[in-house]
């Protein structure tokens, strides 16, 4: 199965229409049998695109073809980001604007990086759910902390509790929570380069208009200590 065939699979079409930006990566009832009949690599490719739609990623086709990423990495990334987005939305960030739709029409529309024909009609100028800046970054910060804690044999539960407490401390100010987590992560041992790549993600900036991301990142720079501030063009 090539990428074009996977894009036309009924599960991917369903996700693009009904689950875009929802963060729901559990295969809906009624699609499991068809998915199970596919050979392993084809099944994974379809699932990656299904999860990409749920995560509202604008560039899954080019990423799945990029040797730097590929299906294994993307499957884990999309399902992980979506899981933690929903966890936060149902937990410490419930009843907040976290992940709510952002209309990009007056901000310049969609960023330059997007796969032709992938974003569903009517969604071209909208960020939603895991594709909003705060959802994208907070979810990945949590994933980073879990991986780091396991690698260096830290108490994962303790580090997760601390992370969630930091987010809960400013539930209506997600950018401040991102800054607080970054400072905490730096204290744990995360390198400056890693944190800056995460917070000021060049790929994300290509996927969204500058008039959306620049005010966010300028405010983030105000909140960060000098050791983590970032200069971008």
């Amino acid at each position: 199965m090539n990428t074009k065939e996977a894009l036309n699979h009924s599960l991917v079409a369903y996700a693009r229409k009904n689950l875009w930006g929802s963060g729901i990566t559990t295969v809906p009832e009624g699609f499991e049998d068809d998915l199970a009949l596919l050979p392993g690599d084809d099944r994974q490719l379809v699932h990656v695109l299904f999860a990409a739609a749920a995560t509202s990623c604008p560039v899954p086709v080019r990423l799945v073809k990029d040797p730097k990423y590929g299906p294994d990495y993307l499957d884990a990334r999309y399902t992980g980001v979506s899981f933690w987005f929903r966890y936060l939305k149902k937990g410490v960030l419930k009843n907040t604007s976290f992940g709510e739709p952002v209309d990009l029409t007056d901000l310049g529309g969609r960023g330059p990086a997007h796969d032709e024909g992938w974003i569903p009609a009517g969604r071209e100028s909208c960020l939603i759910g895991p594709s909003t800046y705060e959802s994208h970054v907070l979810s990945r910060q949590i994933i980073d902390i879990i991986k780091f804690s396991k690698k260096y044999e830290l108490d994962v539960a303790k580090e997760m509790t601390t992370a969630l407490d930091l987010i809960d401390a400013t539930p209506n100010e997600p950018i401040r929570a991102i800054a607080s987590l970054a400072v905490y992560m730096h204290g744990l041992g995360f390198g400056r380069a890693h944190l800056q790549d995460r917070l000021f993600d060049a790929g994300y900036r290509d996927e969204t208009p500058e008039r959306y991301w620049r005010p966010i990142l300028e405010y983030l720079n105000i909140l960060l200590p000098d050791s983590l501030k970032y200069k971008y063009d």
Side-chain angles (χ1 to χ4, degrees):
M1 177 182 288
N2 58 37
T3 305
K4 184 176 180 180
E5 290 171 328
L7 287 168
N8 290 324
H9 191 277
S10 58
L11 176 60
V12 177
Y14 177 87
R16 290 178 65 234
K17 181 179 180 180
N18 299 289
L19 298 177
W20 186 262
S22 66
I24 298 173
T25 57
T26 301
V27 176
E29 188 175 346
F31 290 94
E32 302 99 324
D33 291 344
D34 285 345
L35 192 62
L37 290 173
L38 294 175
D41 288 347
D42 293 348
R43 183 167 60 250
Q44 184 181 47
L45 180 57
V46 168
H47 191 272
V48 165
L49 294 172
F50 158 72
T55 312
S56 53
C57 174
V59 291
V61 177
R62 69 185 66 185
L63 291 182
V64 82
K65 294 178 180 178
D66 188 337
K68 179 181 176 182
Y69 300 102
D72 287 342
Y73 171 85
L74 291 175
D75 214 1
R77 170 174 162 175
Y78 291 141
T79 54
V81 168
S82 285
F83 173 85
W84 286 109
F85 160 72
R86 288 179 63 79
Y87 185 93
L88 293 173
K89 186 66 175 173
K90 291 181 176 181
V92 296
L93 297 180
K94 65 181 178 181
N95 303 321
T96 73
S97 61
F98 180 72
E100 292 299 305
V102 178
D103 188 348
L104 302 175
T105 304
D106 293 334
L107 300 177
R110 173 62 61 175
H114 58 276
D115 292 331
E116 190 69 29
W118 163 251
I119 300 172
R123 301 281 194 177
E124 299 93 337
S125 294
C126 177
L127 298 178
I128 187 171
S131 65
T132 61
Y133 175 81
E134 64 272 15
S135 305
H136 174 77
V137 175
L138 278 174
S139 298
R140 297 193 72 185
Q141 284 180 300
I142 291 174
I143 293 169
D144 284 346
I145 289 171
I146 292 172
K147 289 182 177 178
F148 185 91
S149 298
K150 290 179 177 178
K151 180 178 180 179
Y152 293 102
E153 299 183 343
L154 304 178
D155 187 329
V156 177
K158 175 178 177 294
E159 300 305 334
M160 279 302 305
T161 298
T162 301
L164 294 174
D165 284 346
L166 287 171
I167 296 170
D168 190 36
T170 55
N172 292 303
E173 297 182 80
I175 307 306
R176 188 174 294 277
I178 287 170
S180 297
L181 267 183
V183 172
Y184 180 71
M185 292 166 72
H186 195 41
L188 277 180
F190 280 86
R192 180 174 182 268
H194 174 91
L195 291 171
Q196 291 192 332
D197 284 347
R198 177 68 70 236
L199 304 183
F200 301 91
D201 188 337
Y204 187 83
R205 282 184 273 148
D206 285 340
E207 296 167 13
T208 56
E210 183 173 351
R211 289 172 61 192
Y212 170 70
W213 59 256
R214 185 172 287 276
I216 294 174
L217 299 188
E218 287 178 347
Y219 179 53
L220 181 61
N221 252 343
I222 291 172
L223 298 174
L224 290 170
D226 290 342
S227 58
L228 293 179
K229 290 185 188 297
Y230 182 78
K231 293 182 180 179
Y232 47 87
D233 296 331

